[in-house]
Amino acid sequence: MKKNEFLLTERMKHIPQGPFNVHPIFFEKAKGAIITDVEGKEYIDFAGGIGVNNIGHCNEEVVKAIQDQIQKYIHTCFYVAMYEPYIELAKRLNEITPGNFPKKTMFANSGAEAVENAVKIARHATGRPATIAFEDAFHGRTLLALSLTSKMKPYKFGFAPYAPEIYRMPYAYCYRCTFGLEYPPCEIRCAYFLKDFFNTYISAEQVAALIIEPVLGEGGFVVPPKEYFKILKKICEDNGIVFIADEVQTGFGRTAKMFAMEHYEVEPDIMVMAKSIAGGLPLSAVAGKAELMDHPQGGGLGGTFTGNPVSCRAALAVLDQFEKKNLLAQAEKIGKRVLEKFKEFQEVYPMVGDVRGLGAMVGMELVVDRKTKEPATDFTKQLVNRCREKGLLMISAGTYSNIIRPLMPLVITDEQLERGLSIIEQTLNEI
Ligand SMILES: Cc1ncc(COP(=O)(O)O)c(C=O)c1O
């Protein structure tokens, strides 16, 4: 029996099916944008550990920072007594996150946990109960984050009851506009809909926060029109609602700016970050206006592992690498090439219904029929599996799992990128 096959039988025996795996293989090592499995087969990584490896696998400076820190101390708990890397990282994130106002930052372990903290802070600061989230949103799997998440299967199904006081609006998903309109003549109806929403779903005075992804991640790399967030933010400001940007997937260079909100020139009241923040180690952050962040009482926020010193050191090294390697320019270049290639696919293959992108966050939506826009879910699955057989690792996204969303490390070489794209092309040709 081959090693992957053997490990798969072991996995089935000892691990429940809930923690799902897209690909039935096991990794041995990874470097840059290449992963090698336990049988020695190499893959070009277009999945990036779901957006975690923006600076590439096992970046040398990150490894060095981790090694240095683990010689000193691994865990002491910030709530017992403090350590410098936590402070230094908070200071740097306060400097680079959008917003020309005093900020404070706290750390947690995962994207979901950061989302939960952001909502807790907004509730505490406003004294209001409700949160507005969006269709096709993904904010995590813990119970409050799951309640904010939109997709039913597999995420929410069977886990009810959900957290109360969550209200859901349509997102600016132009390809599948809820209002049946087209941009720009629509005049961003979906954003102004928030005002109607206050009359028909929840009154503004009861809303603590609106939480939104600048570009939908799990929802399928959906990029809203440029005016969208300014309109939403203004309505929030007029009504005392905390505007939370969930930059867990868009952050740390994925869209060719450090944070996607910079493209929209909007300063969120609170921003949540995770994934690529610490080069692969678990860490998340909540950064926001100091007066909001300081609102909850001492001890009201936190957790045993939150802001682990090794993760903080790794994150500081990640920030240095962004500067030294000019990774934002690299993201821009990758994004342009992927967009160009996906647009070419759209001209040739009728199943490519829509192609859209912001920086290196480029999505290709596959449909059975361009007129009905019926999602090509099985076809997408087949494409992902056949690409793996040819040495390319990809994952899909979208409420109907019919969107290809490359999340390659931004250090991918031109040759690796071209090889990956040509594997997609060959496979589209075949099926
Ligand atoms: C936008 C967004 N928010 C939150 C999360 C949850 O992050 P985690 O899986 O680290 O809990 C994700 C994960 O994919 C995400 O993409």
Side-chain angles (χ1 to χ4, degrees), residues 50 52 109-115 137-142 145 149 155 211-219 246-250 272 274-275 283-284 361 405:
I50 318 192
V52 170
N109 299 298
S110 66
E113 211 185 323
V115 164
F138 186 88
H139 297 291
R141 287 182 167 88
T142 53
T149 289
Y155 305 133
I211 182 162
I212 191 159
E213 295 161 81
V215 175
L216 291 180
E218 304 298 306
D246 180 344
E247 292 252 13
V248 167
Q249 195 156 155
T250 49
V272 294
K275 289 202 185 275
L283 184 72
S284 62
M361 204 162 180
R405 54 150 165 176

Side-chain angles (χ1 to χ4, degrees), residues 89-266:
L89 183 61
K91 190 171 156 192
R92 291 214 22 209
L93 291 177
N94 290 337
E95 279 161 15
I96 64 166
T97 45
N100 209 0
F101 39 74
K103 279 181 233 139
K104 289 196 175 176
T105 291
M106 61 161 282
F107 297 108
N109 299 298
S110 66
E113 211 185 323
V115 164
E116 302 245 348
N117 277 289
V119 174
K120 277 172 73 181
I121 293 164
R123 282 185 184 173
H124 203 286
T126 58
R128 302 171 178 185
T131 306
I132 295 176
F134 287 78
E135 289 172 4
D136 301 297
F138 186 88
H139 297 291
R141 287 182 167 88
T142 53
L143 199 47
L144 173 56
L146 180 72
S147 307
L148 295 165
T149 289
S150 164
K151 187 170 170 171
M152 276 295 154
K153 285 189 181 173
Y155 305 133
K156 297 180 81 159
F157 177 73
F159 298 119
Y162 309 117
E165 290 303 321
I166 289 168
Y167 300 85
R168 198 170 302 284
M169 288 240 309
Y171 192 80
Y173 194 161
C174 297
Y175 182 62
R176 297 180 184 277
C177 177
T178 306
F179 302 94
L181 300 171
E182 257 184 50
Y183 177 78
C186 67
E187 294 180 345
I188 328 289
R189 171 85 183 88
C190 56
Y192 288 108
F193 180 66
L194 181 53
K195 287 190 179 175
D196 303 340
F197 202 79
F198 295 146
N199 294 320
T200 48
Y201 292 91
I202 175 78
S203 64
E205 306 91 296
Q206 289 176 287
V207 181
L210 175 144
I211 182 162
I212 191 159
E213 295 161 81
V215 175
L216 291 180
E218 304 298 306
F221 283 21
V222 177
V223 185
K226 57 184 183 312
E227 308 90 329
Y228 182 63
F229 291 102
K230 274 199 181 144
I231 299 166
L232 288 180
K233 176 75 190 327
K234 174 75 173 62
I235 300 172
C236 285
E237 269 168 22
D238 292 347
N239 290 282
I241 296 168
V242 177
F243 183 96
I244 303 173
D246 180 344
E247 292 252 13
V248 167
Q249 195 156 155
T250 49
F252 295 89
R254 180 50 50 188
T255 69
K257 299 234 185 241
M258 206 58 180
F259 301 103
M261 272 299 165
E262 295 170 44
H263 289 283
Y264 292 95
E265 294 170 356
V266 162

Side-chain angles (χ1 to χ4, degrees), residues 236-350:
C236 285
E237 269 168 22
D238 292 347
N239 290 282
I241 296 168
V242 177
F243 183 96
I244 303 173
D246 180 344
E247 292 252 13
V248 167
Q249 195 156 155
T250 49
F252 295 89
R254 180 50 50 188
T255 69
K257 299 234 185 241
M258 206 58 180
F259 301 103
M261 272 299 165
E262 295 170 44
H263 289 283
Y264 292 95
E265 294 170 356
V266 162
E267 298 175 349
D269 300 312
I270 295 180
M271 179 184 278
V272 294
M273 298 155 258
K275 289 202 185 275
S276 272
I277 187 173
L281 288 191
L283 184 72
S284 62
V286 186
K289 283 188 171 152
E291 82 250 26
L292 294 174
M293 297 297 293
D294 262 334
H295 213 277
Q297 61 281 8
L301 306 171
T304 306
F305 288 113
T306 54
N308 171 274
V310 186
S311 301
C312 288
R313 286 290 306 276
L316 286 163
V318 166
L319 292 178
D320 292 341
Q321 287 294 287
F322 263 94
E323 283 167 18
K324 281 187 195 142
K325 292 204 166 137
N326 206 3
L327 291 175
L328 298 182
Q330 186 64 13
E332 179 87 44
K333 191 175 125 192
I334 293 169
K336 266 198 187 129
R337 180 61 187 141
V338 177
L339 193 67
E340 177 185 57
K341 200 70 194 164
F342 281 8
K343 292 255 183 212
E344 263 177 56
F345 296 163
Q346 194 178 19
E347 276 169 27
V348 180
Y349 306 105

